[in-house]
Amino acid sequence: MKAEHEASRSSLKSGQEKRLEEIELRTLAMVETWAKKANLSEWESLTWKLNVPIPRLSQSVIDLLTEQAEWAMTRNWPLHYPELRRAFANYSTVLRDTVNHIRRSMEPLERREEVWEIYREHKHRIMSQAEYDASLRDMQYRIDLLCELSWELTKAANFVCDSVRLEIDPLFRFDEGVLPHRVGDGIFVNNFTREEYGRSELDRYNTLYNLDIFFP
């Protein structure tokens, strides 16, 4: 009876209605692919790894972020969902910059090449006090920028989720709630925050950072 009912309903739809339904279903499938590639269920863990005092990432995590960035950059989102297109374009830009910064600012550990750590020049050679101080400032800049990018990426991902709920599926990640952001060493500092764009922030990202495309 269900099959007969669905067949009768389908026969009443125009070609345009069927096409729009197909676009919606395929767009939802692409959103689900993104959710898996972005590993949304482990988002808190990712942000924590990017915000510890000396950030470290496994080679596998970096590879997955790079793969996701390349995938996101090549998607064609339907014109029927302008907010979703805007959200994914923004997310793709932030993710690209995050991957670029990781690859430029981290290096494999000695004798543990599967683990990457924030680059610290003063570990590799003897320096004068002035050079040592400059090296520390450079390291701290790299760490601070990685932290800023993790905030931006969390905001961008939550913007994508909001856009999916607005234009396609009101119940998308309804039970899970917003993607969380965690900062700290887990002992002395352990901040758990909700990060979302204010309406005035949505068009400001590209003016805040200028990191070129860099996928080695």
Side-chain angles (χ1 to χ4, degrees), residues 15 24 45 60 62 94 100 108 114 123 125 128 149 163 170:
E24 179 178 311
S45 175
S60 61
I62 295 173
V94 182
N100 289 345
E114 77 283 0
K123 289 183 63 178
R125 64 184 180 89
S128 67
L149 286 167
S163 299

Short mmCIF file of all heavy atoms in Angstrom, two decimals, residues 15 24 45 60 62 94 100 108 114 123 125 128 149 163 170:
data_model
loop_
_atom_site.label_atom_id
_atom_site.label_comp_id
_atom_site.label_asym_id
_atom_site.label_seq_id
_atom_site.Cartn_x
_atom_site.Cartn_y
_atom_site.Cartn_z
N GLY A 15 7.54 17.48 -13.96
CA GLY A 15 8.97 17.24 -14.16
C GLY A 15 9.82 18.17 -13.34
O GLY A 15 10.86 17.77 -12.80
N GLU A 24 17.30 18.32 -3.97
CA GLU A 24 17.29 18.36 -2.51
C GLU A 24 17.92 17.09 -1.92
O GLU A 24 18.75 17.17 -1.00
CB GLU A 24 15.86 18.51 -2.00
CG GLU A 24 15.76 18.54 -0.48
CD GLU A 24 14.34 18.73 0.00
OE1 GLU A 24 13.67 19.66 -0.50
OE2 GLU A 24 13.92 17.95 0.88
N SER A 45 37.34 17.25 20.08
CA SER A 45 38.70 16.71 20.16
C SER A 45 39.64 17.44 19.21
O SER A 45 40.79 17.75 19.56
CB SER A 45 38.68 15.22 19.83
OG SER A 45 39.99 14.69 19.78
N SER A 60 47.96 11.41 10.17
CA SER A 60 46.66 10.99 9.64
C SER A 60 45.62 12.09 9.75
O SER A 60 44.80 12.29 8.84
CB SER A 60 46.17 9.72 10.36
OG SER A 60 46.00 9.96 11.75
N ILE A 62 46.24 15.37 9.81
CA ILE A 62 46.61 16.39 8.82
C ILE A 62 46.19 15.96 7.42
O ILE A 62 45.66 16.76 6.64
CB ILE A 62 48.12 16.68 8.89
CG1 ILE A 62 48.48 17.29 10.24
CG2 ILE A 62 48.54 17.62 7.76
CD1 ILE A 62 49.97 17.47 10.46
N VAL A 94 38.09 29.01 5.25
CA VAL A 94 38.70 28.90 6.58
C VAL A 94 39.47 27.59 6.71
O VAL A 94 40.58 27.56 7.24
CB VAL A 94 37.63 29.00 7.69
CG1 VAL A 94 38.29 28.93 9.07
CG2 VAL A 94 36.83 30.29 7.58
N ASN A 100 46.74 25.20 5.44
CA ASN A 100 47.96 25.87 5.01
C ASN A 100 48.84 26.27 6.20
O ASN A 100 50.06 26.09 6.19
CB ASN A 100 47.62 27.12 4.20
CG ASN A 100 47.05 26.77 2.84
OD1 ASN A 100 47.16 25.64 2.38
ND2 ASN A 100 46.42 27.73 2.19
N PRO A 108 57.42 17.36 11.52
CA PRO A 108 57.42 16.03 12.15
C PRO A 108 58.42 15.99 13.31
O PRO A 108 59.49 16.58 13.24
CB PRO A 108 57.85 15.10 11.02
CG PRO A 108 57.62 15.87 9.76
CD PRO A 108 57.82 17.31 10.11
N GLU A 114 55.31 10.34 12.41
CA GLU A 114 53.85 10.32 12.26
C GLU A 114 53.16 11.38 13.10
O GLU A 114 51.94 11.57 13.01
CB GLU A 114 53.30 8.93 12.62
CG GLU A 114 53.20 8.62 14.11
CD GLU A 114 54.55 8.28 14.76
OE1 GLU A 114 55.56 8.28 14.04
OE2 GLU A 114 54.57 8.02 15.97
N LYS A 123 64.94 25.03 19.05
CA LYS A 123 65.29 23.64 19.35
C LYS A 123 66.35 23.08 18.40
O LYS A 123 66.92 22.03 18.66
CB LYS A 123 64.04 22.76 19.26
CG LYS A 123 63.02 22.98 20.38
CD LYS A 123 61.87 22.02 20.24
CE LYS A 123 62.33 20.58 20.37
NZ LYS A 123 61.21 19.61 20.27
N ARG A 125 69.08 24.93 16.86
CA ARG A 125 70.43 25.51 16.80
C ARG A 125 70.68 26.43 17.99
O ARG A 125 69.73 26.89 18.64
CB ARG A 125 70.62 26.30 15.50
CG ARG A 125 69.72 27.52 15.34
CD ARG A 125 69.91 28.17 13.97
NE ARG A 125 69.07 29.33 13.78
CZ ARG A 125 69.44 30.57 14.12
NH1 ARG A 125 70.63 30.79 14.69
NH2 ARG A 125 68.62 31.59 13.91
N SER A 128 71.77 33.46 19.93
CA SER A 128 71.99 34.57 20.85
C SER A 128 70.68 34.83 21.59
O SER A 128 69.61 34.32 21.21
CB SER A 128 72.41 35.82 20.08
OG SER A 128 71.33 36.28 19.27
N LEU A 149 42.37 30.40 14.16
CA LEU A 149 41.78 29.66 13.05
C LEU A 149 40.84 28.56 13.53
O LEU A 149 39.82 28.28 12.89
CB LEU A 149 42.89 29.07 12.18
CG LEU A 149 43.64 30.09 11.30
CD1 LEU A 149 44.91 29.47 10.74
CD2 LEU A 149 42.75 30.59 10.17
N SER A 163 22.74 26.74 8.18
CA SER A 163 22.24 26.94 6.82
C SER A 163 21.49 25.70 6.32
O SER A 163 20.47 25.82 5.63
CB SER A 163 23.40 27.27 5.87
OG SER A 163 24.04 28.46 6.28
N PRO A 170 15.26 21.03 8.81
CA PRO A 170 15.19 21.71 10.11
C PRO A 170 15.72 20.86 11.27
O PRO A 170 16.06 21.40 12.33
CB PRO A 170 13.70 22.01 10.29
CG PRO A 170 13.13 21.96 8.92
CD PRO A 170 13.93 20.94 8.17
#
